[in-house]
Each structure stands twice: as structure tokens, then as C-alpha cells.
Amino acid sequence: MYRKPVKPQLRHPLSRGEKSPESGQAIVLIAFIMVGLLAILGLSVDGGGILFLYRDARNATDASTLAAAYARCTDGDLVEAGLNTASRNGFNNDGTQNIVTVTNPPASGTGAGDSDYINVQIQAFKPSYFIHLVYPNPLWITTDATGFCREAFDSSSVGAIFGISNGCNQNGVVEISGANQNIIGDLFSNADTKQTGSGNGIVVDGNAGTVTTFDPPNYSDKVTFVPPSTYTPGVEPRDNPFDWVDMDDYRPGGLIWEALPEGQKTHHTGDWVENQTDNVSGFHMVEGDVTLRQITVDNTIGLTVVATGKINVISPNSEMKYYEPLLTLNDNDIPSVGFLFYSEFGTQSSNCSSSNDAIDFSTNNINATGVLFAPNGGISGSFSDGFYKGALVGWRVSLSGSDSDIIRDPTLFPPQPPRVSIAD
């Protein structure tokens, strides 16, 4: 009997009611993809928000730093100025959403320990929307800035001679001896001024003042003031007029060093000694003591020596003047002084003996131009048969000699406006 062939039936591998071993993998994969997509969305939404928050905090930090620095320059409340400015820029220091800290001086970093510097830090927090699925912690940013204030510098505060110390044992903070010496410009001492030597030897053409007394009290037979009414005893003390000067600016990497021309500056990492050298022109930063004996300076360039140790200059030849490019820095908004010699050596105390002298400058028949500055030690000078033009500003100033002029030249220390800027 003929039987019709039976056509085999095709059976779907997943018949109704049956489960595959791979069942549910797609759902898991989709879940992972969704998490990834949410993470990307979180990065886009929350990441963009944190970038906007950082931008706003950055601007607020800079504005607060400048406001605090300006308050420092104008004797205002720098903390209040910084906090108020931060608040006006959206960061009110509520301790929850943001924390604003104003520190003067900074504890570390740029300007650490320097009261002219102010650091402002802002920490700001932001709620997360999508990113919390993969990052559950709060989102926050931190910005900080350090600014500085340099108070205005009044060049009229610098006389031909300025003694910084408020007392020097039995010595005068300013002490002058010799004959036929003319001091043209102001003379000031934060304690006593003494004149010794033969009578009628000193002429002061300018204002003269001492915080305590002029010795001898009956100075009329020793000193002539022109006009006579310009001498004032018992005046108020004054701060070091160059207290804004920072030696670090003169070191490699410092603001002034980097601005000076290449090829005309030398960094001495130890003592520097020159004897009868034909040309020592240029700018010299010395980490040690300096001895210059019978040197010659090319005054088309000039000479400036800044040293951590003592500076001893003995009988230089012909004329000597400061390194001129220093003063051109003022045109680039870099405050600078026409220093001839500047030494940080010494101890600010009542020890005013010769062992505390920072600059010893002995000249004869020479014309010298430039500022001598010794904020911690003494300036000992002997000027005879010539002139010195500039200013002598020292912890103590002791001068001798005869037939010489000591002339104040304010063009070597031009006035400076207040300076407020972001340092870091």
C-alpha cells in the first residue's frame, strides 16, 4: 500500500513555554548600556556644571584677592574686603555650599610670611544629578590666588642721608665728621645725630630732623643749616623708605634679574674680590662678601652690586655710577632704584659698631652716583675732594672726609604709585 511521505515539521528552537539558557542576557546588556549612557549624560550635565562652577569661582577668587590687596594698601580691613567681594560674586561663605578663606600673610607658597601678600581660597560644592549613579560623593572644586600690595612710595621721604635705627648705644645713628662737607638735600635720623671734628665744617642745605637730639646741642659752631629754620628736633620716627625692596627680585628667577639685559649680569655664588681690575661694569648679584680695590667702571654701562654680605670699596678710579638699565625698568611697571651698592648684611639692633657695617666706601678725588642701601647694617663712608650723588640709607650712617659734596638725587628713586596685582 502506497503511503504518502510525511513532510518533516520544522520546530522553532524557542517553542512556547520553553526557556533558552541565554534567556535574559539582552536585558543585562541593555542595563549596562543604560548605566553607561547615564554616566555619559552625567559627565555632560554634571561635568559641564562643575566647569561653570569652577569658572565662576576662579573669577570670584581673583576679584576677592585684588580687593583684599587694595584694602591692604589703603589700610582697610582686607579680610572683610575679600569676603564681601566673594559674596558679591556668588560665594557667600555659608559653610555649606561654599567656604571662602582669606589669609594674610600666606602660610606657604608665593609670599609666605610676607604681610604684603594675601591668599584667597574658595571651596564650592555642587549637587550631582546623573553622575551620582556612578560617583556617589559630593562634587566640589577649589580655587586659590595670591595677590600682593605695594604701598605708594613717596620719594620725598628719602633724604641725602637717612638713618633707620632708633638707637645706637653711645653713637649717633647719623654721625658726621670732617671739614668743608656740604650735604645738599634732607638729613634724617630715627635717633641721635652727631657732628664731630673741627668747627664750622658741615653745611646742611635742606631739611634736617632727628627723633631725639642733635649732638652737640650748641651745634651752631659745628654745623650750618641753610636756611637756619630747617632743622627740627623731636620729629616723628619714620620707617625705612625702601622697605618695599626685595632682594629676591635681584636673584636669578627674580622679577628684576629676569628683566635685565643678557650679557650684562653676573650671579656670584660666593665671595667676589677684584683688585685693580680695568672693568667691572654691569649688574652683580653676590651671595657673599665683596671687595673691590682700585677698580675702573665703564660708565656707559655703570655698576650695581647687590650682596648678602659686606661690601668693601677701596679707592676706585675716576668716576663711578649705577647700572643704568635698572631705572628703565620703571617704564615697564617694575619698581626699581638706581642702586650703586646694596647689602643685606648686619643685625637690626643697638649694635652699631664697625663690625655691623654692611658697606664701607672710601673714595678720594672721585665722583660717584647711585644709592647706597644697608637696611640691616651700617654705611661707613669717607668722601674727600669729590662728590657723591644719590642717597645714603642705612641702619646707621657714619661719614668722614673733607672738601666734598653729598647730594640728594631723587631721580634715582622715582615715586611709585600703589601696586596691586595677582602674583600667583
Side-chain angles (χ1 to χ4, degrees):
M1 181 178 181
Y2 174 75
R3 293 183 180 179
K4 186 178 180 180
V6 178
K7 186 177 180 179
Q9 294 183 354
L10 296 178
R11 186 173 180 271
H12 194 281
L14 293 179
S15 298
R16 184 177 299 173
E18 295 185 6
K19 294 183 179 180
S20 167
E22 299 177 357
S23 174
Q25 287 186 1
I27 297 175
V28 174
L29 183 59
I30 291 172
F32 277 117
I33 292 174
M34 287 298 295
V35 171
L37 290 174
L38 287 172
I40 293 172
L41 182 62
L43 286 174
S44 176
V45 174
D46 293 320
I50 205 76
L51 288 176
F52 284 126
L53 179 63
Y54 181 84
R55 179 201 63 187
D56 293 341
R58 175 78 273 164
N59 292 337
T61 301
D62 290 346
S64 299
T65 301
L66 291 173
Y70 182 79
R72 169 74 177 82
C73 261
T74 56
D75 297 324
D77 188 326
L78 63 91
V79 174
E80 181 180 359
L83 293 177
N84 286 344
T85 302
S87 182
R88 286 193 294 270
N89 282 272
F91 299 88
N92 60 1
N93 193 33
D94 61 9
T96 303
Q97 297 300 316
N98 61 86
I99 300 172
V100 183
T101 306
V102 180
T103 307
N104 170 248
S108 60
T110 302
D114 188 336
S115 61
D116 287 337
Y117 285 77
I118 300 96
N119 178 267
V120 175
Q121 183 185 86
I122 293 180
Q123 279 187 300
F125 301 88
K126 175 190 176 302
S128 59
Y129 298 106
F130 296 98
I131 199 70
H132 72 276
L133 294 172
V134 293
Y135 182 77
N137 297 321
L139 300 176
W140 59 276
I141 56 94
T142 300
T143 62
D144 77 283
T146 299
F148 71 88
C149 153
R150 296 284 189 231
E151 295 184 7
F153 169 61
D154 180 5
S155 59
S156 67
S157 64
V158 184
I161 299 172
F162 190 109
I164 301 170
S165 173
N166 59 7
C168 277
N169 296 329
Q170 301 301 313
N171 299 314
V173 169
V174 173
E175 195 160 317
I176 306 169
S177 65
N180 300 322
Q181 289 207 62
N182 296 312
I183 300 171
I184 303 172
D186 298 345
L187 179 153
F188 181 82
S189 170
N190 266 324
D192 297 324
T193 299
K194 289 189 176 184
Q195 198 283 326
T196 60
S198 57
N200 233 14
I202 307 299
V203 175
V204 179
D205 187 352
N207 296 318
T210 60
V211 172
T212 52
T213 61
F214 201 108
D215 185 24
N218 184 20
Y219 49 79
S220 59
D221 62 341
K222 300 279 187 185
V223 182
T224 302
F225 293 102
V226 181
S229 61
T230 57
Y231 170 61
T232 307
V235 297
E236 291 295 318
R238 301 180 190 172
D239 293 331
N240 168 12
F242 293 138
D243 62 358
W244 51 273
V245 173
D246 187 346
M247 178 168 278
D248 284 340
D249 288 339
Y250 295 86
R251 290 188 167 95
L255 186 65
I256 290 176
W257 173 277
E258 297 302 323
L260 293 176
E262 294 294 337
Q264 296 181 1
K265 54 189 179 184
T266 305
H267 183 219
H268 304 263
T269 56
D271 294 348
W272 180 38
V273 179
E274 295 286 352
N275 291 300
Q276 297 181 327
T277 305
D278 289 339
N279 188 357
V280 294
S281 307
F283 176 82
H284 298 264
M285 174 66 220
V286 185
E287 310 284 354
D289 294 335
V290 177
T291 302
L292 304 177
R293 182 179 286 105
Q294 294 181 337
I295 58 170
T296 300
V297 177
D298 178 0
N299 286 310
T300 60
I301 300 173
L303 169 69
T304 291
V305 179
V306 178
T308 60
K310 294 184 176 184
I311 299 175
N312 190 11
V313 184
I314 305 167
S315 301
N317 298 317
S318 66
E319 293 188 2
M320 177 183 293
K321 69 179 296 185
Y322 68 97
Y323 177 58
E324 287 194 344
L326 279 176
L327 282 188
T328 64
L329 302 182
N330 288 285
D331 298 331
N332 298 320
D333 202 28
I334 301 175
S336 187
V337 176
F339 288 129
L340 185 57
F341 301 115
Y342 162 27
S343 168
E344 286 278 356
F345 177 83
T347 303
Q348 293 188 355
S349 68
S350 59
N351 175 21
C352 296
S353 66
S354 59
S355 63
N356 201 52
D357 282 350
I359 301 174
D360 190 345
F361 191 22
S362 300
T363 68
N364 190 29
N365 295 309
I366 186 173
N367 297 332
T369 301
V371 174
L372 271 59
F373 181 44
N376 307 310
I379 296 175
S380 178
S382 177
F383 304 108
S384 297
D385 301 308
F387 76 77
Y388 168 80
K389 189 177 181 181
L392 286 78
V393 180
W395 187 247
R396 178 176 183 254
V397 180
S398 176
L399 302 179
S400 62
S402 60
D403 301 309
S404 63
D405 293 334
I406 299 170
I407 306 167
R408 176 181 181 270
D409 184 357
T411 64
L412 301 180
F413 37 92
Q416 305 288 344
R419 291 171 51 80
V420 173
S421 180
I422 298 292
D424 184 22

